[in-house]
Amino acid sequence: MFLSGRGSVISGKLRRMSIKAALIDLSGTLHVEDDPTPNAVEALARLRDSGVSVRFVTNTTKDSKGTLHERLCRIGFHLDRSEIYSSLSAAVTFVQSGKLNPYYLLSEDARQDFPPEDPNRCPDSVVVGLAPKAFNYEQMNKAFNVLLQNKEHKLVAIHQGKYYKRSDGLALGPGCFVKGLEYATGCTAKLIGKPNPYFFKGALDGQDPSFCVMIGDDANDDIGGAMAMGLQGILVKTGKYLPDVALSPPPTALVENFAEAVDWILKKNQV
């Protein structure tokens, strides 16, 4: 559910706004590890004060929702835990609705968000997120065999990002491990996170996409996925942004950082 920055906004003003809600990526856009991007804390406050509703959307699969919320609050952002919609959230719903008993390739922290494994049932699927400590031969081989033993080959990719931004530079994402399991088993992964429409429909929570904007650092997962759903897309040059990556479709706007994205939205709503 989207939350307004001031609790209530004059309905006449809302009707005049061309952008009424913003989906905001986290890692690489709002912050990089424990550092906010330039002026991001103040910019988020300005966006809320303008009456634009916000929701934080992320493909982050290494951290649980609780850990994400604690980190964002600790580094200065003001938000409610319910405003965070992650690919983990969508994956938990998928596992529960399908009554799956997965073998998990997840970090210990992310694993907290999921239902416990049923020891009385054999694993019937594999769920993959960003789990550096789990991407070793033994655990990958266990995942491989679980998929071979299930005719439906239920491989669930929370996302399949190629890389992500850390404080020491770019780091390998889970995408190559998902592709490796697909190659070895002949199955096709069910993609849950961005850029899948399944993720954006859940994040929009009934909002009209033509009045929404996505702010992110990933040209494909953030911007391409959102624009395919009818949102506008603002690509920021922080995080994993690389200037030599072809942008197709081109973003609605290309800006230096999140603070400039907020400036763009506020100017758009004044027209």
Side-chain angles (χ1 to χ4, degrees), residues 60-75:
T60 299
T61 56
K62 187 170 176 286
D63 298 324
S64 65
K65 182 183 286 191
T67 297
L68 286 174
H69 181 248
E70 186 278 331
R71 166 182 274 176
L72 290 167
C73 292
R74 174 165 44 83
I75 63 179

Side-chain angles (χ1 to χ4, degrees), residues 7 9 30 34 45 49 72 77 90 104-105 120 125 153 185 189 213 224-225 230 236 245-246 254 265-266 269:
V9 180
L30 211 59
D34 287 339
D49 286 344
L72 290 167
F77 293 103
Y104 293 102
L105 289 172
N120 297 316
S125 51
H153 295 312
T185 63
V213 65
V236 298
V245 173
L254 177 64
I265 293 170
L266 297 184
N269 278 345

Side-chain angles (χ1 to χ4, degrees), residues 19 21-23 200 209-236 247 249-255 261 264-265 268:
I19 297 175
L23 301 182
F200 282 104
S210 64
F211 290 100
C212 299
V213 65
M214 174 74 212
I215 308 171
D217 65 326
D218 190 305
N220 178 63
D221 290 358
D222 292 332
I223 306 307
M227 293 182 71
M229 292 292 293
L231 291 82
Q232 297 182 70
I234 305 178
L235 181 63
V236 298
L247 306 179
T252 309
L254 177 64
V255 299
W264 187 92
I265 293 170
K268 185 86 170 177

